[in-house]
Amino acid sequence: MTDVAVVGGGPAGLSAALFTAKNGLDTVVFDTDETWMHKAHLFNYLGIESEDGTAFLEDSREQADSFGVDRRQGEEVQTVEQDGDGFRVVTGEGDLAADYLVLATGANRGLAEELGCEFTDEDVVDVDVTMETSVADAYATGAMVRAEEWQAVISAGDGAAAALNVLTKEKGEHFHDFDTPADAE
């Protein structure tokens, strides 16, 4: 059992995982490492002058790991389904129950379709501004929800939006993940 299951280990998935784990939620990321980031070089990501996509992923994984994310590298999710008030994530290694689900599988929308999420006329997953789908407590991010705007920085923002909504629900009030210089000391 975990609080948050994230399917996908690119910018959206790792961003969501970072926010939720950093703020005390047990978070598991399933990452097959099939992200487009391995084909990218970042010049347009705020705060990064120039970085290879694979190096960016390594840095992002290390940061998520430092906050206690349970990253299941190479573990492929076969199916996801609603299970009572939560979700069941099924892999070749077994099942995992989760209260919240974040889908971050790029343009592969199969799991969202299987889960019963609504789609738009553009054949992308229909989400609100918090990235929540028509299935309560299930979120979709990045290329799953956009016909063409596939950028690492947009995807990371989608993951953050999903995570902040999860944290808002958990805390019972609008939640901001805002640190000050004193927090870093």
Side-chain angles (χ1 to χ4, degrees):
M1 178 71 182
T2 191
D3 296 318
V4 182
V6 179
V7 183
L14 290 172
S15 177
L18 172 66
F19 273 72
T20 56
K22 177 179 176 281
N23 290 288
L25 297 183
D26 290 330
T27 304
V28 175
V29 173
F30 297 95
D31 183 4
T32 59
D33 201 27
E34 294 176 12
T35 175
W36 298 332
M37 290 302 298
H38 292 297
K39 298 176 183 177
H41 191 94
L42 300 176
F43 293 109
N44 59 356
Y45 199 107
L46 185 64
I48 296 176
E49 186 175 324
S50 171
E51 186 172 27
D52 176 76
T54 298
F56 172 81
L57 283 173
E58 291 169 5
D59 292 343
S60 299
R61 290 171 178 156
E62 185 176 305
Q63 185 179 20
D65 292 351
S66 75
F67 284 100
V69 171
D70 177 2
R71 200 166 39 81
R72 309 228 177 139
Q73 201 66 35
E75 192 170 341
E76 184 175 359
V77 172
Q78 297 169 342
T79 187
V80 295
E81 57 190 42
Q82 288 183 286
D83 185 21
D85 290 338
F87 300 92
R88 187 167 71 98
V89 179
V90 179
T91 73
E93 307 294 320
D95 297 4
L96 177 75
D99 294 326
Y100 299 94
L101 176 68
V102 179
L103 298 173
T105 56
N108 182 344
R109 301 173 184 105
L111 291 176
E113 186 174 6
E114 194 175 288
L115 189 59
C117 297
E118 292 179 10
F119 281 68
T120 70
D121 292 339
E122 294 180 310
D123 206 29
V124 296
V125 181
D126 191 16
V127 295
D128 64 16
V129 71
T130 68
M131 310 317 292
E132 192 167 14
T133 70
S134 58
V135 176
D137 300 329
Y139 298 81
T141 59
M144 299 183 77
V145 302
R146 301 176 193 287
E148 296 298 329
E149 295 86 13
W150 302 342
Q151 295 293 144
V153 70
I154 293 172
S155 295
D158 288 350
L164 288 179
N165 192 274
V166 167
L167 289 160
T168 292
K169 287 181 177 188
E170 284 296 300
K171 308 284 183 188
E173 61 185 14
H174 197 72
F175 183 79
H176 298 278
D177 183 350
F178 184 82
D179 297 310
T180 66
D183 296 329
E185 293 174 1

